[in-house]
Amino acid sequence: MPKIKPSKGAPYARILGVGGYRPTRVVPNEVILETIDSSDEWIRSRSGIETRHWANDEETVAAMSIEAAGKAIADAGITAEQVGAVVVSTVSHFKQTPAVATEIADKLGTAKAAAFDISAGCAGFGYGLTLAKGMVVEGSAEYVLVIGVERLSDLTDLEDRATAFLFGDGAGAVVVGPANEPGIGPTVWGSEGDKSETIKQTVPWTDYRDGDVARFPAITQEGQAVFRWAVFEMAKVAKEALDAAGITAADLDVFIPHQANERIIDSMVKTLKLPESVTVARDVRTTGNTSAASIPLAMERLLATGEAKSGDTALVIGFGAGLVYAATVVTLP
């Protein structure tokens, strides 16, 4: 029996470039208060959110992704033709098939890159990053484009007091490529499907199609249950990711958690005992919860503002519907 030749990839992988796109329309809390009985003070105190971005008709999932991806490719110093795979994490692309990744790969001008979508909610960027690392090291692609993108305004029930203020739209992208030393640590990831009812779509698409319900499906959640899970369980996962990377909280320069809620972020910072020197992403204040897009968008903003710099060591962790999670330590591009 002939032996299969081993794959020849890079010794390690790292993030080489990052890009983001936020829709032009900025939506303050006052707009949300037109449809729910609440207050600006309540929304800020419960979530930290002051504004969010909502997409217009032209700012589609594909269009926002292409804008963010173009910036990431330029930041990485490569061309679109060098991208060997495009991985898109989203829950708000409403065509079951084909994958939006194929449209993005084509319009960017890649040389017939492999392209596929994944659905892992707010942990989607971490899942995509892990897949990209594997491709680069295994050798199936030299450069991989990972995109987190959402138009959650399409899935928001503006009359749901528990969620109407949470969600925003946007796209974040990174290019993962070869490195001579580790730039993406081991991923600690998993799922807790027994808690799947805590964050979910209200009804299946078929119920709406068949006329069983009059309202378009939306995302809903059990706020307190999600908060407790995120605060207590995700801090443990974050610690596991630090241990897997062989570092401690004192070695970190930056902490980039999923931008779900500032109270969750504050609790994680406290539980992890992060030093005051660690820069903490708080993009949620002006961007809201953009699910799979939140980590790369926050990363892009920290680098753009100078709050973080190239070469910094960052802990990233995403968590959400499923319930699913993924955490890893990375070197910033």
Side-chain angles (χ1 to χ4, degrees), residues 14-16 181-185 242 247 249-256 277-281 298-299 301-316 328-333:
R14 67 165 291 168
I15 299 173
L16 301 174
E181 57 184 36
I184 302 173
L242 291 174
I247 67 172
D251 298 314
L252 284 176
D253 299 304
V254 185
F255 179 44
I256 310 177
S277 60
V278 175
T279 297
V280 179
M299 183 185 296
R301 174 161 282 175
L302 289 176
L303 289 166
T305 60
E307 295 173 82
K309 62 183 184 299
S310 175
D312 278 354
T313 299
L315 170 63
V316 299
T328 188
V329 175
V330 303
T331 302
L332 295 183

Side-chain angles (χ1 to χ4, degrees), residues 36-324:
I36 61 171
D37 181 17
S38 188
S39 68
D40 177 62
E41 190 278 331
W42 186 89
I43 293 174
R44 290 179 188 237
S45 65
R46 299 284 291 186
S47 68
I49 298 172
E50 303 167 8
T51 60
R52 73 284 294 145
H53 295 254
W54 283 354
N56 60 34
D57 291 343
E58 289 73 38
E59 292 167 322
T60 63
V61 165
M64 292 190 293
S65 296
I66 290 166
E67 289 290 332
K71 294 175 183 178
I73 290 169
D75 192 44
I78 65 169
T79 64
E81 291 85 354
Q82 292 175 274
V83 173
V86 178
V87 182
V88 177
S89 179
T90 185
V91 298
S92 48
H93 174 58
F94 291 152
K95 285 185 179 179
Q96 192 70 38
T97 192
V100 71
T102 59
E103 177 185 350
I104 295 165
D106 176 62
K107 290 185 176 178
L108 284 172
T110 67
K112 299 182 180 179
F116 59 95
D117 298 351
I118 59 174
S119 176
C122 304
F125 175 74
Y127 275 49
L129 190 64
T130 303
L131 294 173
K133 173 188 173 183
M135 287 184 237
V136 172
V137 173
E138 186 269 343
S140 59
E142 184 176 12
Y143 298 101
V144 180
L145 181 63
V146 180
I147 302 169
V149 57
E150 302 293 1
R151 270 184 57 123
L152 293 181
S153 57
D154 291 333
L155 286 167
T156 299
D157 180 352
L158 294 178
E159 295 179 1
D160 181 358
R161 189 173 184 270
T163 61
F165 59 91
L166 287 175
F167 303 121
D169 303 336
V174 299
V175 171
V176 176
N180 292 322
E181 57 184 36
I184 302 173
T187 300
V188 177
W189 58 352
S191 66
E192 297 185 31
D194 60 315
K195 300 179 180 66
S196 61
E197 291 295 302
T198 56
I199 307 175
K200 64 180 182 179
Q201 184 171 305
T202 49
V203 295
W205 300 113
T206 49
D207 285 8
Y208 183 73
R209 179 199 65 188
D210 297 341
D212 296 334
V213 294
R215 295 177 70 89
F216 192 74
I219 297 174
T220 187
Q221 69 175 30
E222 298 174 15
Q224 287 302 314
V226 173
F227 182 87
R228 288 193 298 269
W229 175 77
V231 167
F232 295 110
E233 298 302 322
M234 290 307 97
K236 298 175 186 177
V237 171
K239 179 61 167 60
E240 289 178 30
L242 291 174
D243 293 341
I247 67 172
T248 68
D251 298 314
L252 284 176
D253 299 304
V254 185
F255 179 44
I256 310 177
H258 165 48
Q259 301 294 292
N261 182 305
E262 193 165 32
R263 291 171 63 211
I264 293 175
I265 295 172
D266 288 340
S267 295
M268 292 182 72
V269 168
K270 183 178 180 181
T271 302
L272 289 169
K273 299 179 180 178
L274 296 184
E276 291 186 5
S277 60
V278 175
T279 297
V280 179
R282 299 184 184 278
D283 197 42
V284 66
R285 293 173 179 171
T286 56
T287 308
N289 180 344
T290 55
S291 189
S294 79
I295 290 174
L297 277 174
M299 183 185 296
E300 185 260 355
R301 174 161 282 175
L302 289 176
L303 289 166
T305 60
E307 295 173 82
K309 62 183 184 299
S310 175
D312 278 354
T313 299
L315 170 63
V316 299
I317 178 170
F319 46 86
L323 293 170
V324 294

